[in-house]
Amino acid sequence: MANLSAKELSAIQDHLGVEQNLIKKYNMFAGSSKDQCIKTKFEQIASRHQQHYDTLLSHLN
């Protein structure tokens, strides 16, 4: 893998923060939902954002 520039590293770090916030929000929405269908959908969305986070993080290793 090629070395990342400072600008690219900064962009990845910014996106990691965004993904963390989305994971927290959708898990919170899932936890407060009474409707099982909506709860499941929020959990799926949180999981997708976790995958995005993990992918971004892999670029830093």
Side-chain angles (χ1 to χ4, degrees):
M1 182 174 150
N3 289 334
L4 298 173
S5 70
K7 187 174 183 177
E8 290 167 326
L9 285 172
S10 178
I12 290 174
Q13 289 172 331
D14 290 345
H15 287 287
L16 283 170
V18 169
E19 292 298 338
Q20 278 183 321
N21 286 336
L22 290 169
I23 294 163
K24 288 177 188 175
K25 283 183 182 183
Y26 282 104
N27 280 327
M28 182 188 68
F29 295 155
S32 64
S33 179
K34 305 280 188 243
D35 184 309
Q36 186 58 45
C37 183
I38 293 173
K39 179 183 184 94
T40 300
K41 185 54 81 175
F42 284 146
E43 289 170 343
Q44 290 170 344
I45 294 169
S47 177
R48 199 168 321 135
H49 285 290
Q50 182 66 55
Q51 291 171 351
H52 296 167
Y53 179 88
D54 293 341
T55 300
L56 287 167
L57 191 60
S58 73
H59 291 290
L60 298 178
N61 294 329

